[in-house]
Amino acid sequence: MTRLISTGRPSLSYAERGATRQRPLPAGYHHLHHRTRIGHGREAFEAAGAAVSSFRMHRATGATVRADGDALPGARVEIGLGIGRLRICVPCEVIWTPDGPDRAGFAYGTLSGHPESGEESFLVELAEDGTVWFEVTAFSRPAAWYTRLAGPLVPVLQRGYARLLGRRLRALAAAA
């Protein structure tokens, strides 16, 4: 696959690298936490984990995705959201992936040029009772004039997108 960013690699646009792995999230940011039940059993977990890690979940929302490959630490990804002239392409870098046989997904951090500054994780977990959960955790703040101008609308859009991701992931896991 074509490399997105060459040797002049942009840097992360925030200092708290990996902070979506722990709690509490860093102060000074808007926090997002959304959890959705995806299904039940190992098969649903495997299907959901593969859809998240390959960016198929993001594509299922209508987003365009350009990536260095699957979601592995260090991979660069650019997500395109919106339509026509209102499409925004946001550059990110995968920061971490979860450990263990019952967790899958990744977290990415914003790179210079992203309209927000922060980090977002997309995790699938197989609970002890067999329930498969999808969880989005993020911290962010405006990094561009238009996200500052949009003010309180941005967190509403982020929460709506997290819900949409959950619905699309549930459908992808059910179809597998």
Side-chain angles (χ1 to χ4, degrees), residues 8-173:
R9 293 168 68 95
S11 60
L12 292 174
S13 61
Y14 65 102
E16 300 86 346
R17 180 185 189 106
T20 53
R21 195 184 283 252
Q22 301 111 25
R23 302 291 183 281
L25 294 174
Y29 293 88
H30 168 73
H31 296 165
L32 170 69
H33 183 257
H34 179 72
R35 190 170 181 193
T36 303
R37 185 181 183 280
I38 298 302
H40 194 269
R42 174 71 55 188
E43 189 175 325
F45 168 76
E46 297 290 341
V52 171
S53 298
S54 67
F55 303 107
R56 204 167 69 239
M57 172 189 68
H58 282 82
R59 288 183 179 98
T61 68
T64 59
V65 179
R66 290 181 44 214
D68 288 345
D70 283 347
L72 298 171
R76 297 295 174 107
V77 61
E78 183 178 272
I79 307 288
L81 301 168
I83 54 173
R85 297 176 69 78
L86 298 177
R87 180 167 292 277
I88 299 172
C89 293
V90 296
C92 301
E93 178 180 323
V94 176
I95 301 301
W96 62 269
T97 56
D99 301 323
D102 297 333
R103 295 183 55 169
F106 67 94
Y108 58 36
T110 59
L111 296 172
S112 302
H114 193 294
E116 291 282 301
S117 175
E119 192 172 288
E120 189 166 21
S121 66
F122 308 92
L123 299 177
V124 178
E125 181 179 20
L126 179 60
E128 286 184 23
D129 69 356
T131 303
V132 179
W133 293 98
F134 171 62
E135 184 174 80
V136 178
T137 303
F139 63 92
S140 63
R141 60 182 167 215
W145 66 268
Y146 52 91
T147 50
R148 284 190 288 278
L149 183 66
L153 182 59
V154 173
V156 171
L157 294 173
Q158 289 171 328
R159 183 164 305 282
Y161 188 62
R163 288 182 177 140
L164 178 61
L165 288 170
R167 287 192 304 272
R168 294 298 188 263
L169 185 59
R170 185 181 307 115
L172 288 169

